[in-house]
Every structure is written in C-alpha cells, then in structure tokens.
Amino acid sequence: MKSSKPVFLLVALVCAGLLGFAMYLQIVEEMQPCPLCVIQRYMFVLVGIFALIGAGLPAGARRGSAALGLLAALGGAGTAIWHLYVKAHPGVSCTTDPLETALNQLPTAKLLPQMFTADGFCSAPWPPVFGLQIPTWSLIWFAVLAVALAVQAFKRAPRTTIWK
C-alpha cells in the first residue's frame, strides 16, 4: 500500500500557499478581510495543522487526523457559501456585529493581527481574481481539500491475514 504522507504534506502546503496569497491580497492589494474571510483563514489553518499532524503520525493513525481536517474543510466550505450569499444579497451584512468583535478579541487576533483581525466588509465589491470572487475560490479549495482528506479518512485499511 502506498503511503498517504505525501497527500497530507500537499494539503498542508496548499493551505500555507492559500494563506500566503490571502496575505498578499491584504498587504499588497489592500483588500481588508471581513469576519467571514477571517473565519475561512482559521479553517485553512486548521486543515493545514491537521494535515501536518497526519503526516507525522504512523500510517494506521492518520485516518483520525484526516477526519478532523475534513470537518474543518467542511466548516470552511460552509463559511464560504454563507459569504457568497452575503455578497449576492447586499442587504445582509456581517460587519459591525458581534461576530467581528468576537473574532478581533481572540488571542490569535492579538498575536497575529495582520492575519486574523477583521477590518473589511463582507459585501465589498472587490475585483475578481482570475474571474472568480475570493469566497468562490475559497469554496473551490475547501472542496478540493475535503475530497483529498475524505479519501484519506475513509480509505480501507489493508487486510492482514494470519495464513500465508
């Protein structure tokens, strides 16, 4: 049976790359993250952390880490879907509400304010990236990561036989 360690490392690398791109958009393009963007960042961090943990575990123990990463990816996908709904319905807002205040009070927002502080508006009309809105890209990547992790989480364990 082939090792799943490269899959876990690739998932972690993709998450790191996406977070790096989010920082590029924030710092260089001056696109301030909204509360829903920050929640999606947290979900990418969780997926990446669970993938790294899975890569470091013995092959038999990786399924649990994959399942936790899958749950984080599904949570991120749900957040991205809600974000797309907010963008499609300008009357719905996610800013200047308890969500933003709560997110900005988390210890991670204090330690890494550049990454985890919500300052933007969810319905801001930012230009598309390669023709798609940022939450659409997040949804696509969360779906890809969820599939990769689901395959690892539900992969059949190799059969062992007593008789040879």
Side-chain angles (χ1 to χ4, degrees):
M1 183 171 115
K2 292 186 177 181
S3 171
S4 58
K5 186 175 185 175
V7 174
F8 283 97
L9 291 173
L10 181 61
V11 166
L13 183 64
V14 166
C15 289
L18 291 169
L19 290 167
F21 186 65
M23 293 309 300
Y24 164 80
L25 290 176
Q26 181 177 338
I27 295 167
V28 176
E29 300 296 328
E30 298 180 358
M31 295 172 71
Q32 295 305 311
C34 70
L36 295 176
C37 295
V38 171
I39 291 172
Q40 290 169 72
R41 288 180 183 187
Y42 278 118
M43 293 300 116
F44 280 123
V45 167
L46 284 175
V47 170
I49 287 172
F50 288 129
L52 283 176
I53 291 170
L57 290 173
R62 290 185 182 142
R63 292 175 68 182
S65 183
L68 291 172
L70 173 60
L71 288 175
L74 293 175
T79 305
I81 289 169
W82 177 249
H83 196 170
L84 288 168
Y85 178 83
V86 168
K87 288 185 82 56
H89 299 87
V92 179
S93 178
C94 71
T95 56
T96 325
D97 64 12
L99 178 61
E100 181 177 349
T101 304
L103 282 172
N104 290 342
Q105 296 303 317
L106 291 174
T108 49
K110 303 285 187 200
L111 290 171
L112 297 167
Q114 193 74 7
M115 175 71 83
F116 296 117
T117 299
D119 291 333
F121 297 100
C122 294
S123 57
W126 296 109
V129 176
F130 302 116
L132 296 175
Q133 297 178 21
I134 302 294
T136 305
W137 279 112
S138 288
L139 179 58
I140 290 168
W141 280 109
F142 278 124
V144 168
L145 296 171
V147 168
L149 291 168
V151 167
Q152 298 304 312
F154 299 111
K155 188 186 327 187
R156 291 181 130 207
R159 287 187 170 195
T160 57
T161 59
I162 298 173
W163 309 98
K164 286 197 176 192

